[in-house]
Amino acid sequence: MDIFKELRVMSGVTVSGNGDLTFVGSDVKIHRTDATGSSRWAFPVGDIGRAYPVVTPQGVTIAASYDDTVYALDPAGKLLWKLKLDGDIFATPALRIDGSVIVATAGGTIHALSPAGKTLWTFKVGAPVFSSPAIGPDGTIYFGAQNNRVHALTPDGQLKWTYAAGSLVFSSPAVGPDGSVYFGSSDRRIHAVSPDGQPKWTVLTGLFVNASPIITSGGLVVVGSYDGSVYAVNTSGETEWTYRAGAGIAGSAVELSDGSVIVPDLSGTVHAIGKAGQALWQIKTGKKIDTGLSVSDQGSLYFVTDGGGLNIVQKQRPLAVGPWTTFHGAPNPVGRVPTPIELQAQTQARRAAASAVVAALKPATPVATAPAQPARPPQPTQPAQPTRPAQPTTPTQPAAPAQPTTPTQPAQPAQPALTPEQFAAAAGQKARVADGQLFLPLTEAAGALGLTVRTVTVRTATLRVQAQNLPVTVRLFDRVAFVPLAALADLPGAQVRLVSGAARGVELGVAGRTAVFPVNVARLLSLQSGAEFAVDAAR
């Protein structure tokens, strides 16, 4: 490691053409630093944020946070405009060629904003969106949502099509030069969809795929899974190689100009993988990493470890030139397929670093790498659409990273001194409503039901239910993880009903354990607008 700085980084790291870095910190500020992490300016915002800032060609920073607000800052860090939307903004905005911005919210709305911060149009999804919108070569806007679907919108915000996956879609789409869309899902699959919304193929993985794919300069779709493997699949749906990282993967990979792929895992190891899927080198930090690497045109690698530490590895190769060789397509993650002129500019900007002498890194400890699978026909044109997520039955998955302000839950029921009834009472007291959903505090709800919380991130948690590791959506309120009641009701065999009388509240049964959460549903949540759970019915 060449440089390490405790900068309290919370979002991914955005890299400008000159090497400057921009990120959102856990100190509730947008930061700009030079290439070594030395501060240039900081701008205070209303809350923390995890979305990557986007830097326009004019040097304007577009950043979002959990205060439901989009901020536009000039190159000196001065506010140009800000706009409050209808929910927390987890997803990285996408920048269109005309300078307008596409923003998705947990409130379930896609917003198109002009360069001056005025609303051009909105599209109501009807479910929270944590997947960062991506823009195809024809201007089509693609994103996943918590209704288990990927959506395609026209440039003026009209729905073109939806594609149903088998479970939640956190993964941000990668878009190929032909407009094909690639993404992962909690259904344990990597999906490929044609520009007109028709399924091309799926590849099954061992656990859910929340990371966002990249597309290498050679046309491979590369993405990691919580099963601890990195998959490289060609555009026909054939697996070229599988690399065993040994720990779950939540962050996107990057491809460098020499064809190597770099990917971090949740145990804190950064892996360099060769063109044939072989291990090249590793950096072991011992601190969890749940965002992808960023790479400058000058050949510096940046990644963030648990606690917000900025790690810099210098004198390496720059990004490979291609349509989607890093998260959201570029170091200043604009989220759209580049034009031929932009690809030429990438080649010119990265030429010097692509041919410079590279600093040697420690060779990797041998890692079992699966050979390329024999050619096989693509999977059936319509992947199975189960009525509920296909749940893995593999051994316990590796711990996912805690966020800088949300410690990872231990692999045991929290606070064992409390009884299940006390947990249920505490959960009912803390219950809250947002965006039409009823939320319970994760720790207390799991304790009431006797469920083990394996991992927690800002968007998902993994619960141990009858020897299965099952993903559920979570949301942070005051930096504490809450789980939607609907997510608990969707667990296998769950039953939920309203109860009245002295024990008024919501009764939820999961895996043979029943708990009554003393929640005044009529007060907290209007059932007239569509309850998020079935009353007196098994789920």
Side-chain angles (χ1 to χ4, degrees), residues 98-479:
D98 64 0
S100 61
V101 182
I102 306 299
V103 184
T105 72
T109 305
I110 305 298
H111 301 258
L113 308 180
S114 75
K118 305 299 182 183
T119 298
L120 301 174
W121 52 258
T122 60
F123 176 84
K124 294 292 186 181
V125 182
V129 180
F130 302 132
S131 167
S132 300
I135 300 172
D138 63 352
T140 300
I141 301 159
Y142 305 99
F143 59 91
Q146 298 300 285
N147 58 5
N148 303 353
R149 292 179 177 272
V150 164
H151 303 68
L153 305 182
T154 65
D156 59 354
Q158 301 300 308
L159 181 66
K160 292 178 69 173
W161 50 258
T162 64
Y163 169 91
S167 187
L168 305 175
V169 182
F170 289 99
S171 178
S172 302
V175 185
D178 65 347
S180 293
V181 181
Y182 306 95
F183 66 95
S185 170
S186 295
D187 65 4
R188 304 181 297 157
R189 288 177 171 83
I190 305 163
H191 295 260
V193 183
S194 66
D196 61 357
Q198 297 303 306
K200 296 177 65 175
W201 49 259
T202 65
V203 170
L204 185 66
T205 67
L207 282 173
F208 42 100
V209 183
N210 284 0
S212 302
I214 64 167
I215 305 169
T216 70
S217 54
L220 294 182
V221 179
V222 177
V223 65
S225 166
Y226 271 70
D227 66 7
S229 293
V230 181
Y231 296 84
V233 185
N234 65 31
T235 53
S236 297
E238 299 161 347
T239 300
E240 296 285 342
W241 51 259
T242 303
Y243 174 91
R244 311 296 184 190
I249 297 166
S252 297
V254 296
E255 185 199 12
L256 302 187
S257 62
D258 61 0
S260 61
V261 169
I262 317 297
V263 64
D265 69 29
L266 297 178
S267 73
T269 299
V270 177
H271 303 262
I273 309 169
K275 294 181 179 179
Q278 76 277 21
L280 299 177
W281 50 259
Q282 293 175 353
I283 298 173
K284 295 185 178 182
T285 69
K287 297 181 178 180
K288 297 162 188 172
I289 307 171
D290 72 338
T291 54
L293 277 74
S294 301
V295 186
S296 73
D297 290 343
Q298 296 75 30
S300 291
L301 311 184
Y302 300 91
F303 59 93
V304 178
T305 46
D306 188 28
L310 177 66
N311 300 259
I312 306 175
V313 184
Q314 298 175 317
K315 297 183 179 179
Q316 299 301 307
R317 294 293 179 225
L319 278 175
V321 174
W324 217 274
T325 56
T326 186
F327 171 76
H328 236 209
N332 60 328
V334 293
R336 59 177 171 79
V337 175
T339 65
I341 292 177
E342 289 171 327
L343 288 173
Q344 291 176 5
Q346 289 180 12
T347 301
Q348 181 62 36
R350 299 168 190 173
R351 180 168 294 155
S355 59
V357 176
V358 175
L361 294 172
K362 183 179 179 180
T365 303
V367 176
T369 305
Q373 298 181 3
R376 57 172 175 79
Q379 299 193 18
T381 56
Q382 179 58 48
Q385 305 298 328
T387 57
R388 53 185 315 107
Q391 302 299 344
T393 56
T394 54
T396 301
Q397 63 181 320
Q403 304 308 321
T405 56
T406 306
T408 298
Q409 304 293 330
Q412 58 186 20
Q415 302 178 21
L418 296 183
T419 66
E421 292 75 16
Q422 290 171 325
F423 273 124
Q429 291 172 357
K430 298 178 183 178
R432 59 195 303 170
V433 167
D435 301 323
Q437 289 190 313
L438 179 63
F439 289 83
L440 299 173
L442 176 65
T443 297
E444 289 83 350
L449 295 167
L451 303 178
T452 299
V453 180
R454 307 298 303 189
T455 61
V456 180
T457 74
V458 294
R459 296 186 297 185
T460 59
T462 304
L463 300 178
R464 188 71 171 171
V465 183
Q466 293 183 325
Q468 291 185 330
N469 293 320
L470 306 181
V472 294
T473 303
V474 297
R475 185 165 174 182
L476 296 186
F477 296 104
D478 299 324
R479 307 188 183 185

Side-chain angles (χ1 to χ4, degrees), residues 502-519:
R504 183 177 62 180
V506 176
E507 180 181 275
L508 179 64
V510 178
R513 178 76 67 84
T514 299
V516 177
F517 299 97
V519 177

Side-chain angles (χ1 to χ4, degrees), residues 15-21 32-35 40 296-298:
V15 187
S16 299
N18 66 354
D20 280 359
L21 312 178
R32 173 70 56 81
T33 76
D34 67 12
R40 293 197 185 280
S296 73
D297 290 343
Q298 296 75 30

